[in-house]
Amino acid sequence: MQEWANQLCENRQFGSKMTDSKYFTTTKKGEIFELKAELNSDKKEKKKEAVKKVIASMTVGKDVSALFPDVVNCMQTDNLELKKLVYLYLMNYAKSQPDMAIMAVNTFVKDCEDLNPLIRALAVRTMGCIRVDKITEYLCEPLRKCLKDEDPYVRKTAAVCVAKLHDINAQLVEDQGFLDTLKDLISDSNPMVVANAVAALSEIAESHPNSNLLDLNPQTINKLLTALNECTEWGQIFILDCLANYSPRDDRESQSICERVTPRLSHANSAVVLSAVKVLMKFMEMLPKDLDYYGTLLKKLAPPLVTLLSAEPELQYVALRNINLIVQRRPEILKHEMKVFFVKYNDPIYVKLEKLDIMIRLASQANIAQVLAELKEYATEVDVDFVRKAVRAIGRCAIKVEQSAERCVSTLLDLIQTKVNYVVQEAIVVIKDIFRKYPNKYESVIATLCEHLESLDEPEARAAMIWIVGEYAERIDNADELLESFLEGFHDESTQVQLQLLTAIVKLFLKKPTETQELVQQVLSLATQDSDNPDLRDRGYIYWRLLSTDPVAAKEVVLAEKPLISEETDLIEPTLLEELICHIGTLASVYHKPPSAFVEGSRGVQHKRLTSSAGSGESVESPDTGSAAVSEAPPTVIPSQGDLLGDLLNLDLTPPTSTGPPPAAAPGMQLGAMDLLGGGLDSLMGDESEPPPIPLRTDTPQSPQPPHQSPSPPDYSPTELGGDIGGSPAMGAGFGAPPAAMPASFNAPISGGLDDLFDLGGGGGMTMGTYIPPKTVWLPAMKAKGLEISGTFVRRSGVIQMEMTLNNKAMSVMSDFAIQFNRNSFGLAPAGPLQILTPISPNQSIEAALPLSTVGPVMKMEPLNNLQVAVKNNIDVFYFSCQYPISMLFLEDGKMERQVFLATWKDIPNENESQFQIKDCHLNSDAASNKLQGSNIFTIAKRTVEGQDMLYQSMKLTNGIWVLAELRVQAGNPNYT
Amino acid sequence: MIGGLFIYNHKGEVLISRVYRDDIGRNAVDAFRVNVIHARQQVRSPVTNIARTSFFHVKRSNIWLAAVTKQNVNAAMVFEFLYKMCDVMTAYFGKISEENIKNNFVLIYELLDEILDFGYPQNSETGALKTFITQQGIKGQTKEEQSQITSQVTGQIGWRREGIKYRRNELFLDVLESVNLLMSPQGQVLSAHVSGRVVMKSYLSGMPECKFGMNDKIVIDKQGKGGTTEDTGKSSGKQSIAIDDCTFHQCVRLSKFDSERSISFIPPDGEYELMRYRTTKDIILPFRVIPLVREVGRTKLEVKVVIKSNFKPSLLAQKIEVRIPTPLNTSGVQVICMKGKAKYKASENAIVWKIKRMAGMKESQISAEIELLPTNDKKKWARPPISMNFEVPFAPSGLKVRYLKVFESKLNYSDHDVIKWVRYIGRSGIYETRC
């Protein structure tokens, strides 16, 4: 051993030839013992060599923890190399020997005071890595000093050390006030200190999602942007990633940040570029689309993304996964860059597959010829997965670009002729989809497909082929023979094939009943009697019963027209996509999964969303808007009648807790204010790309309508309702006979409507006119393949109108809109077709007004003012239901003659009468009557009894029903009959 | 952030293992070996998720470098870091090989401790690192030296130290381009682009401020507008090139480039890559390959390939190599070529035709007869494209260096005293013609 060490020293002297590798080869017995002796040697050089051997053993996974005291003894040295080695050892084993580790503390503390900044930093860096509670206690003081060290190198190391300490003992960090010191470092003069402080704070903030730790405000943002220009490439990444979490106040601020971030797109480091892209993609949401700068920014994004593709393959892969997201969110950025995604012969397979994905996404009528030529080349490659994907891509092109369908089909046929087994199978699977997209167009190729029947051995391909045979049984002469051939090995087939075969034979039977009776019986008995698969058995029984009871019905069911398949397949769901856009560059964007799917514990699990303009989502939360958080509640479910009543009764007793206003004297007022901020702004921002949060209303039954128009008079509160307004005979028969009694259920909508009207009445400076509830989202984009509809009902000069904002959040253009109503209580029906002349392109929104008539078919709805609507576009038909304010049904000629009023008032049977109270309404009678008149509620007479104003009012509904009311105005206690 | 970093040899034995985060255990080392290095299938992704732990890997010759994490890290950053790590190691001890890593493991640990703190990459510029991570120890440093090191490592100009002195101020500029082409058999350009690099070797004293100018279309057009009409006439046309995109070494002031499109910087000492760029328009394709493949029956192929050089006759292209793929069932090949040497290499399934030199505007031809063994393999031969390699003494993108000015206010040398060398080399990247 001595000899060997000498030799080593010699080698050292000769310089270049080193022999560290020898450490890896010592595998003698009693090694530990020998090492121990060497570690305690007097000779420095020998000591160092021994420590090196220890580290080498540690690396290969040998347990050398027994040497702990001996190694720690070597720590007291002025040889930096040796010191570093000992520290490395300590970091590995301190946890297993906590008591011994204490021995090292003194040295650490001493080193933190060393004159050499490199040693100070080394000590504080290493101490943070030793996860022993007792040591962390001693760490605090040195760390505090180092955070304020005069040398930036020490400060930047100390900044990271705070994050380390927080990972070990979060409470300690908070108690010691390190977080504030760390925050101060954001203003440090040295850019690297700033960058590390940002990184540390971001990490700490992630484990405290609700803390205001990273208090990003325009001042700090400005500091970060300044540091961005000066710090290392890595620091730039930390800062950009942190910036991405900031929500600018307005579009001007986001533009100015974007302007300062764009130069980063020319950085040589791809990660800097991607993080800059993330910031830009996020902040771009906030810029108005008509802004010149918006267009400039879009143009600036393409070249750096393309440049990423000339990076090393691993980075290309990361870039491609991200481009896949970017293309889905903003296809316009890269639409002209198709060529760069063409696959190169020697690309690694993971790059090839990703490029192929993006090619399909970018395929359009303009470039389809090129794309198809490429895909055809790929289909002759070697890698099976790649070839399959290429074949599948050809099919997807056919479905996506109608003009190319014919060429795609012929390309697929060419490929089938190659007779390469997996190519044929893949081609058949996609041809099935093409048949479904373009029925009755390409069936001529069926004959060619049938030739390859025997070569199919994969379940998916077999199932596809069987589907084709069944679907087009009438055109294939020997369909029965073909299917029979499959039937022979029925039990060996996979479930997919079995199910398909069953259906296909039933289809065949329905088309050619005479020749195939035997076959169908055979398959039914195979499926029902000889199979243990419940799915198969059930389907078999259903067919059997259908066929035996009603063959006509069976035909209707089995041979029903199939809905067309959609153009874009495997798009990422929009909300997930939004979240992933916020994670550009990170693992989440590589996996296409939210961080919560692969990160353990609470860290990094909080969901990020794109914020569009002010007024939605996070920005509402900022304290200066003075409102409580409006949670992003899902679109409220329309409560049933029973719940409505329940809600009504509960109102006063249980102020809503979910949205959080204090139960003060006027709970509704506060809610109203909040709704105004939430709902009101939302409807103003009709074109934003995120579904506006729908405030959950609990104070009125019409939850989707935020009814309060103005929060200004503090003493005003919405109506409280307490009973029936009056029974009525069947609604359908409702004509003339005043005062027609109302069914009990009428209560809810009408009271809601009145509630709304009164709110209007409360609005101090409001102009007179019909009350228009703000728009609410009726059809969220998620439920309707990207189409979002929000709207409201208005009565304008005697015509009821449905005003809608249609917002396209999907990737493709929407056109061919049409609308239909289900039968409803008041016979509402569109008076004309829906006037949407131009197709709505992605992210565009359009206002549409639909005049309504009340002469449609009538059916009583629950609740009464419920309206079920179907909207159709080129993609699909969507259904939703909404509720209209009853007040829009009040006619202009609802003013009853005084005499008639008196007469009818007296005739109202008692059971048709109802009373309820509107509390806390400090409005004098005249004002109230004026307000109400704006909504076609007419005051017939007024009298004063015992200091109370009595208003007698009438209104007429579109179906001719009259409603009479008595409004008793007495401070705080108006009474309605 | 990065939780740990491992280096393995081709057998999957650990050479270096450094764990930065508590959530990464020793078992992660084995998980990667079992699931990736020893996996039966070819690697399908550079990022692997095993039991909620993510592994990023790159390979250099037969050495695997793997970064491990359990968090949602910036993936691009991790790969950039791994590449940087390779650069740093290469700068310290040359080629990344098992032997070199074993020989320098102490150094590597020292480097890893410095450039990655708690998984956060720190300054990784070799220029700066070499000032204080040496294997000699840093005992003899004065206080000034120490603070100079720390301010350099953390400072705004982390890539250059103060007080550099040369007797002769000299700089070398290499414009290195690789021209990529994919051409259809009919001679239609399917895609072509040039990816270029400007590599600079600077041996300059002090902290010189440099300004680099080239015939960038945007700059020239801008100047043309401001200048006289004569200038505009001269500068427009073929003189300038449209650069699709470019990226710069971190020494370049990006905000200045963004606003004025001027490239100014304080260069690192020695060799480094100043910028990378990409052009797709008006590329001079130095060679054109015209293939002709004819299948004569099932057992014979006739191949004829013509190459034409397309540049000034006074220039000479070098190291020309044309690679004509042959089917797997080739039994024999006969080649006739007018110039250079051609050989059938069975192990590579290709005819390799080499020409040492070729002047511009010339033409050469090769014809070959390929005998095939009859097979019952249904799979058709994929006909890989014919690829070419070459080197030409000009920039296929048309890029020209217009100036590189050096200003050093503190020392007494001026722009004129600096000796400057400029060289253009155009190489083939992926230069393929389908047949």
Side-chain angles (χ1 to χ4, degrees):
Chain A
M1 197 52 79
Q2 178 65 49
E3 200 180 276
W4 175 78
N6 287 341
Q7 189 199 344
L8 187 117
C9 293
E10 270 170 36
N11 281 335
R12 261 294 140 82
Q13 283 157 6
F14 288 119
S16 63
K17 206 181 165 200
M18 299 202 202
T19 48
D20 280 4
S21 58
K22 298 230 168 173
Y23 302 112
F24 283 88
T25 53
T26 47
T27 48
K28 285 176 198 162
K29 275 190 179 173
E31 187 192 358
I32 299 269
F33 183 75
E34 268 178 44
L35 280 173
K36 209 177 179 89
E38 282 176 47
L39 284 170
N40 292 317
S41 157
D42 297 333
K43 285 184 189 156
K44 271 188 187 168
E45 203 52 35
K46 206 169 179 187
K47 251 187 191 174
K48 195 161 127 188
E49 297 311 319
V51 177
K52 280 188 185 181
K53 275 187 241 169
V54 173
I55 301 289
S57 311
M58 193 176 85
T59 299
V60 265
K62 277 182 214 155
D63 184 15
V64 282
S65 59
L67 294 167
F68 200 91
D70 309 282
V71 177
V72 171
N73 274 337
C74 303
M75 197 171 161
Q76 282 281 13
T77 170
D78 47 1
N79 183 320
L80 200 59
E81 196 190 359
L82 179 57
K83 197 182 270 283
K84 283 182 179 176
L85 287 171
V86 176
Y87 280 179
L88 188 64
Y89 179 89
L90 267 174
M91 284 187 259
N92 259 303
Y93 287 111
K95 223 169 144 189
S96 58
Q97 312 253 342
D99 295 331
M100 304 280 259
I102 295 291
M103 288 162 49
V105 165
N106 266 336
T107 322
F108 278 127
V109 175
K110 219 177 94 199
D111 279 359
C112 285
E113 310 262 327
D114 198 285
L115 280 178
N116 187 342
L118 292 171
I119 293 185
R120 291 202 294 277
L122 178 66
V124 79
R125 184 165 69 210
T126 313
M127 250 179 127
C129 295
I130 295 177
R131 305 178 64 93
V132 175
D133 279 342
K134 281 177 199 159
I135 288 195
T136 41
E137 284 167 30
Y138 290 99
L139 175 61
C140 292
E141 275 322 300
L143 178 58
R144 198 186 313 281
K145 266 186 211 154
C146 289
L147 279 167
K148 301 207 162 126
D149 200 287
E150 52 168 22
D151 195 294
Y153 183 78
V154 181
R155 289 202 301 276
K156 72 110 185 163
T157 312
V160 176
C161 190
V162 175
K164 292 178 187 170
L165 189 58
H166 185 270
D167 194 41
I168 305 168
N169 190 342
Q171 195 56 44
L172 188 69
V173 171
E174 275 171 53
D175 295 347
Q176 296 277 336
F178 285 138
L179 294 180
D180 293 325
T181 326
L182 202 53
K183 275 189 211 168
D184 294 342
L185 287 184
I186 290 190
S187 316
D188 199 282
S189 58
N190 185 294
M192 196 163 176
V193 178
V194 179
N196 276 5
V198 167
L201 274 175
S202 302
E203 179 171 338
I204 295 170
E206 245 177 50
S207 48
H208 298 279
N210 297 321
S211 72
N212 213 8
L213 201 54
L214 252 175
D215 177 28
L216 294 176
N217 53 48
Q219 288 77 39
T220 43
I221 292 293
N222 200 29
K223 280 175 199 155
L224 293 186
L225 286 168
T226 312
L228 185 62
N229 287 324
E230 293 163 353
C231 63
T232 64
E233 45 194 329
W234 314 115
Q236 296 185 17
I237 300 169
F238 307 152
I239 292 177
L240 287 169
D241 283 352
C242 171
L243 270 181
N245 291 328
Y246 176 65
S247 326
R249 300 269 149 103
D250 50 33
D251 51 338
R252 227 189 283 145
E253 192 186 3
S254 58
Q255 178 174 345
S256 81
I257 295 175
C258 286
E259 277 166 358
R260 293 178 72 178
V261 166
T262 33
R264 297 298 121 199
L265 294 175
S266 311
H267 202 285
N269 187 314
S270 311
V272 175
V273 177
L274 266 179
S275 292
V277 169
K278 165 164 60 187
V279 175
L280 296 176
M281 282 291 286
K282 230 190 132 182
F283 287 11
M284 214 153 67
E285 299 287 333
M286 260 158 280
L287 297 177
K289 293 199 171 54
D290 47 351
L291 200 69
D292 285 346
Y293 181 70
Y294 180 82
T296 324
L297 199 54
L298 275 183
K299 274 191 211 118
K300 277 192 175 170
L301 276 171
L305 287 175
V306 173
T307 298
L308 290 178
L309 297 183
S310 49
E312 289 84 346
E314 291 87 1
L315 266 176
Q316 275 187 53
Y317 174 73
V318 174
L320 285 165
R321 294 292 283 175
N322 280 290
I323 288 172
N324 199 329
L325 299 173
I326 294 168
V327 163
Q328 287 185 57
R329 179 81 194 163
R330 297 197 179 276
E332 63 270 32
I333 295 178
L334 287 166
K335 65 179 173 201
H336 299 303
E337 303 287 350
M338 174 59 98
K339 275 189 179 177
V340 297
F341 297 103
F342 285 176
V343 170
K344 290 181 195 144
Y345 190 68
N346 53 353
D347 278 336
I349 183 67
Y350 49 80
V351 169
K352 282 184 176 173
L353 292 171
E354 291 308 314
K355 280 188 173 173
L356 201 50
D357 244 356
I358 294 168
M359 278 174 70
I360 302 164
R361 293 211 195 285
L362 291 178
S364 67
Q365 206 182 327
N367 54 26
I368 194 74
Q370 269 185 324
V371 173
L372 266 182
E374 280 292 308
L375 291 176
K376 207 177 164 183
E377 288 286 333
Y378 305 160
T380 58
E381 282 239 23
V382 198
D383 190 283
V384 177
D385 283 349
F386 181 60
V387 170
R388 281 171 180 274
K389 201 164 183 175
V391 175
R392 215 163 261 235
I394 296 174
R396 272 168 69 182
C397 284
I399 289 163
K400 197 174 170 190
V401 186
E402 186 163 0
Q403 292 80 359
S404 74
E406 193 148 352
R407 227 172 328 163
C408 294
V409 171
S410 74
T411 309
L412 286 171
L413 284 180
D414 287 350
L415 289 174
I416 289 178
Q417 298 304 344
T418 62
K419 300 201 165 116
V420 177
N421 189 285
Y422 52 84
V423 174
V424 174
Q425 311 214 32
E426 208 63 43
I428 285 179
V429 173
V430 290
I431 285 179
K432 180 200 78 179
D433 287 343
I434 296 175
F435 282 168
R436 286 201 56 187
K437 172 78 183 181
Y438 309 109
N440 303 318
K441 228 173 156 183
Y442 300 110
E443 281 74 8
S444 52
V445 307
I446 290 176
T448 325
L449 302 186
C450 289
E451 288 167 23
H452 296 273
L453 212 58
E454 290 88 47
S455 64
L456 306 179
D457 52 10
E458 288 161 28
E460 204 185 349
R462 285 174 84 86
M465 192 64 220
I466 292 169
W467 182 87
I468 292 172
V469 173
E471 190 67 17
Y472 299 102
E474 69 272 27
R475 306 180 194 207
I476 306 169
D477 293 336
N478 59 344
D480 47 345
E481 283 170 37
L482 293 176
L483 291 176
E484 201 171 357
S485 69
F486 281 106
L487 208 55
E488 282 161 18
F490 189 80
H491 289 297
D492 303 328
E493 300 282 3
S494 73
T495 316
Q496 191 185 8
V497 179
Q498 289 175 332
L499 286 169
Q500 206 53 259
L501 194 54
L502 172 62
T503 308
I505 292 179
V506 172
K507 280 183 193 164
L508 174 71
F509 171 69
L510 289 167
K511 285 172 180 174
K512 301 178 180 173
T514 44
E515 309 129 56
T516 55
Q517 207 155 7
E518 207 173 301
L519 194 63
V520 81
Q521 259 162 7
Q522 200 182 340
V523 77
L524 286 175
S525 78
L526 276 172
T528 53
Q529 286 157 22
D530 303 340
S531 166
D532 345 320
N533 184 324
D535 286 344
L536 186 64
R537 264 200 327 255
D538 285 354
R539 196 185 281 193
Y541 280 124
I542 288 171
Y543 283 142
W544 202 323
R545 276 172 208 153
L546 258 175
L547 291 172
S548 56
T549 48
D550 189 353
V552 181
K555 212 162 188 167
E556 264 171 43
V557 171
V558 180
L559 302 179
E561 205 166 303
K562 280 157 229 45
L564 291 181
I565 55 175
S566 68
E567 286 175 20
E568 287 281 356
T569 39
D570 59 71
L571 281 180
I572 293 174
E573 192 242 329
T575 42
L576 176 60
L577 182 63
E578 277 183 18
E579 192 183 348
L580 292 180
I581 290 285
C582 300
H583 287 294
I584 283 179
T586 68
L587 263 180
S589 71
V590 173
Y591 293 145
H592 288 184
K593 281 178 193 162
S596 51
F598 58 91
V599 175
E600 267 167 16
S602 60
R603 237 186 217 170
V605 180
Q606 79 234 65
H607 289 271
K608 293 186 179 175
R609 293 291 304 269
L610 290 178
T611 22
S612 31
S613 318
S616 69
E618 293 151 53
S619 43
V620 176
E621 286 171 23
S622 55
D624 52 356
T625 57
S627 79
V630 175
S631 57
E632 287 193 31
T636 324
V637 182
I638 298 159
S640 67
Q641 184 63 23
D643 292 338
L644 279 178
L645 284 171
D647 284 349
L648 290 172
L649 294 171
N650 284 338
L651 264 180
D652 228 4
L653 308 170
T654 49
T657 47
S658 60
T659 38
M669 212 297 286
Q670 297 197 359
L671 271 178
M674 211 173 62
D675 287 344
L676 188 75
L677 283 166
L681 281 176
D682 287 337
S683 48
L684 291 174
M685 309 288 176
D687 58 344
E688 65 193 20
S689 54
E690 184 190 5
I694 297 170
L696 192 70
R697 296 267 314 163
T698 40
D699 58 343
T700 65
Q702 258 89 2
S703 8
Q705 304 171 0
H708 302 276
Q709 276 291 344
S710 164
S712 46
D715 54 350
Y716 179 72
S717 137
T719 332
E720 300 291 329
L721 302 157
D724 284 356
I725 196 163
S728 151
M731 286 300 298
F735 62 89
M742 298 285 176
S745 61
F746 195 66
N747 156 39
I750 205 166
S751 53
L754 287 173
D755 187 8
D756 293 348
L757 294 174
F758 267 96
D759 295 334
L760 178 79
M766 295 294 285
T767 47
M768 292 298 286
T770 321
Y771 166 74
I772 305 170
K775 282 183 181 171
T776 51
V777 176
W778 288 337
L779 181 67
M782 280 204 292
K783 285 193 182 164
K785 304 188 179 163
L787 175 67
E788 184 185 276
I789 300 180
S790 55
T792 185
F793 294 91
V794 202
R795 186 177 187 93
R796 287 194 208 281
S797 53
V799 181
I800 304 170
Q801 289 202 334
M802 181 159 142
E803 297 194 344
M804 288 178 288
T805 307
L806 287 84
N807 193 349
N808 181 359
K809 294 189 171 174
M811 298 292 162
S812 53
V813 175
M814 294 180 176
S815 59
D816 308 334
F817 283 91
I819 195 164
Q820 238 177 9
F821 291 173
N822 194 1
R823 287 186 289 180
N824 54 70
S825 319
F826 290 93
L828 284 174
L834 188 58
Q835 296 287 332
I836 297 173
L837 300 172
T838 48
I840 311 181
S841 46
N843 276 327
Q844 190 196 0
S845 73
I846 271 190
E847 302 281 337
L850 180 70
L852 305 180
S853 70
T854 50
V855 293
V858 174
M859 185 175 79
K860 197 183 145 200
M861 299 296 293
E862 293 275 333
L864 210 63
N865 60 342
N866 197 9
L867 179 63
Q868 294 177 338
V869 185
V871 170
K872 181 187 100 71
N873 64 6
N874 57 333
I875 294 170
D876 205 345
V877 183
F878 311 107
Y879 302 92
F880 63 90
S881 69
C882 54
Q883 297 186 8
Y884 44 88
I886 219 77
S887 63
M888 74 172 197
L889 296 169
F890 296 159
L891 291 180
E892 275 78 4
D893 60 351
K895 189 161 187 167
M896 201 178 252
E897 286 291 314
R898 257 185 107 139
Q899 295 305 319
V900 186
F901 184 91
L902 268 176
T904 40
W905 186 262
K906 283 175 188 155
D907 288 345
I908 300 175
N910 271 343
E911 64 267 26
N912 283 4
E913 254 179 54
S914 75
Q915 289 200 350
F916 52 92
Q917 290 190 336
I918 304 164
K919 274 188 191 155
D920 299 332
C921 177
H922 296 268
L923 201 67
N924 73 33
S925 56
D926 288 344
S929 105
N930 280 339
K931 299 277 178 197
L932 293 172
Q933 187 150 357
S935 296
N936 294 340
I937 300 175
F938 301 93
T939 307
I940 309 297
K942 177 185 161 185
R943 68 188 170 127
T944 311
V945 181
E946 297 159 10
Q948 297 178 355
D949 284 344
M950 310 281 278
L951 293 178
Y952 292 90
Q953 296 174 310
S954 72
M955 56 221 107
K956 187 185 172 191
L957 290 167
T958 47
N959 54 3
I961 296 175
W962 286 86
V963 181
L964 304 185
E966 176 190 71
L967 181 67
R968 192 183 305 158
V969 185
Q970 181 197 36
N973 189 20
N975 206 352
Y976 229 136
T977 307
Chain B
M1 281 307 114
I2 298 172
L5 212 139
F6 309 129
I7 303 180
Y8 301 84
N9 65 8
H10 67 287
K11 283 185 254 170
E13 291 164 357
V14 197
L15 303 178
I16 297 287
S17 116
R18 175 77 160 91
V19 173
Y20 293 93
R21 296 268 172 155
D22 202 38
D23 52 6
I24 302 299
R26 183 86 204 173
N27 52 357
V29 182
D30 303 324
F32 182 76
R33 175 184 29 242
V34 173
N35 289 290
V36 180
I37 301 180
H38 291 169
R40 282 201 198 118
Q41 252 202 332
Q42 180 200 359
V43 181
R44 287 267 150 177
S45 160
V47 185
T48 325
N49 193 322
I50 306 160
R52 292 200 152 222
T53 310
S54 298
F55 296 81
F56 300 75
H57 74 264
V58 297
K59 238 184 134 181
R60 289 288 179 270
S61 61
N62 53 11
I63 296 295
W64 299 74
L65 284 96
V68 193
T69 183
K70 284 209 165 185
Q71 295 166 31
N72 182 30
V73 297
N74 188 322
M77 185 186 79
V78 176
F79 280 123
E80 282 285 1
F81 177 79
L82 287 175
Y83 302 142
K84 195 73 182 196
M85 173 83 204
C86 294
D87 291 348
V88 171
M89 289 198 290
T90 317
Y92 266 94
F93 52 75
K95 199 174 158 264
I96 295 176
S97 63
E98 180 170 352
E99 198 193 349
N100 277 344
I101 288 173
K102 280 186 171 173
N103 280 340
N104 293 284
F105 84 96
V106 175
L107 170 73
I108 294 173
Y109 277 125
E110 206 177 329
L111 285 169
L112 280 177
D113 198 43
E114 187 56 46
I115 59 178
L116 207 54
D117 190 5
F118 201 40
Y120 290 107
Q122 305 292 305
N123 195 334
S124 48
E125 284 298 312
T126 21
L129 288 172
K130 278 191 170 169
T131 57
F132 69 106
I133 295 192
T134 56
Q135 292 217 279
Q136 271 80 55
I138 46 165
K139 236 168 128 189
Q141 284 163 340
T142 63
K143 214 186 162 200
E144 290 80 62
E145 277 172 337
Q146 286 164 5
S147 70
Q148 201 191 319
I149 289 169
T150 58
S151 76
Q152 197 205 330
V153 174
T154 59
Q156 300 177 13
I157 307 163
W159 53 87
R160 190 182 180 93
R161 61 190 168 90
E162 302 234 16
I164 298 171
K165 280 198 187 89
Y166 287 101
R167 201 187 286 165
R168 208 158 86 129
N169 288 302
E170 206 172 9
L171 64 86
F172 300 84
L173 267 183
D174 281 344
V175 176
L176 306 171
E177 294 197 339
S178 85
V179 51
N180 299 277
L181 170 76
L182 185 63
M183 196 176 247
S184 76
Q186 292 76 32
Q188 187 194 358
V189 177
L190 294 174
S191 75
H193 75 272
V194 167
S195 53
R197 305 188 297 144
V198 178
V199 175
M200 185 172 169
K201 263 180 249 170
S202 71
Y203 304 104
L204 302 169
S205 310
M207 296 296 263
E209 177 76 45
C210 296
K211 214 172 163 190
F212 175 67
M214 54 186 177
N215 57 341
D216 176 3
K217 197 163 190 278
I218 298 172
V219 177
I220 305 254
D221 287 357
K222 226 199 269 176
Q223 286 173 346
K225 265 176 217 159
T228 57
T229 40
E230 247 176 85
D231 279 347
T232 342
K234 239 188 240 170
S235 57
S236 64
K238 277 206 164 178
Q239 292 292 306
S240 61
I241 60 158
I243 291 175
D244 286 25
D245 189 36
C246 45
T247 60
F248 296 99
H249 184 267
Q250 59 169 322
C251 66
V252 176
R253 293 183 187 90
L254 293 178
S255 41
K256 218 162 178 187
F257 177 75
D258 195 57
S259 56
E260 303 161 25
R261 220 165 159 93
S262 73
I263 303 165
S264 60
F265 54 95
I266 295 171
D269 194 37
E271 184 174 340
Y272 74 103
E273 190 181 286
L274 175 65
M275 73 178 281
R276 278 179 188 234
Y277 57 92
R278 181 167 46 85
T279 71
T280 47
K281 288 196 190 74
D282 304 322
I283 293 167
I284 308 156
L285 296 170
F287 285 95
R288 164 95 206 271
V289 177
I290 304 154
L292 202 81
V293 182
R294 207 160 65 92
E295 289 181 37
V296 186
R298 294 202 53 176
T299 55
K300 207 167 149 192
L301 272 178
E302 277 181 13
V303 180
K304 198 173 109 179
V305 176
V306 181
I307 59 167
K308 285 183 180 171
S309 59
N310 175 36
F311 44 88
K312 267 192 251 166
S314 57
L315 298 175
L316 273 182
Q318 291 184 27
K319 301 176 188 166
I320 302 150
E321 187 187 288
V322 182
R323 189 170 280 265
I324 304 159
T326 55
L328 294 172
N329 55 338
T330 303
S331 59
V333 177
Q334 272 142 6
V335 216
I336 310 158
C337 57
M338 287 154 49
K339 225 181 157 196
K341 282 178 189 165
K343 234 188 207 169
Y344 166 63
K345 292 195 173 165
S347 58
E348 295 166 38
N349 284 313
I351 300 166
V352 181
W353 175 24
K354 285 183 180 168
I355 305 169
K356 274 192 185 143
R357 258 173 234 100
M358 189 166 172
M361 306 314 273
K362 289 262 163 59
E363 190 178 310
S364 194
Q365 182 184 322
I366 185 172
S367 13
E369 274 188 20
I370 302 168
E371 309 268 340
L372 300 176
L373 287 171
T375 54
N376 18 347
D377 195 0
K378 270 191 195 162
K379 215 161 120 185
K380 240 179 86 188
W381 177 45
R383 280 209 190 178
I386 295 174
S387 58
M388 242 198 116
N389 288 316
F390 53 80
E391 203 178 291
V392 288
F394 62 91
S397 69
L399 182 129
K400 291 258 157 39
V401 176
R402 290 171 62 224
Y403 57 80
L404 200 148
K405 293 176 192 153
V406 182
F407 310 96
E408 166 60 70
S409 47
K410 284 185 199 148
L411 299 172
N412 56 343
Y413 71 92
S414 73
D415 187 37
H416 298 290
D417 304 330
V418 180
I419 306 156
K420 300 167 192 169
W421 306 86
V422 182
R423 178 166 65 159
Y424 298 93
I425 301 171
R427 292 202 182 94
S428 52
I430 295 159
Y431 203 85
E432 295 177 335
T433 306
R434 288 183 178 155
C435 56

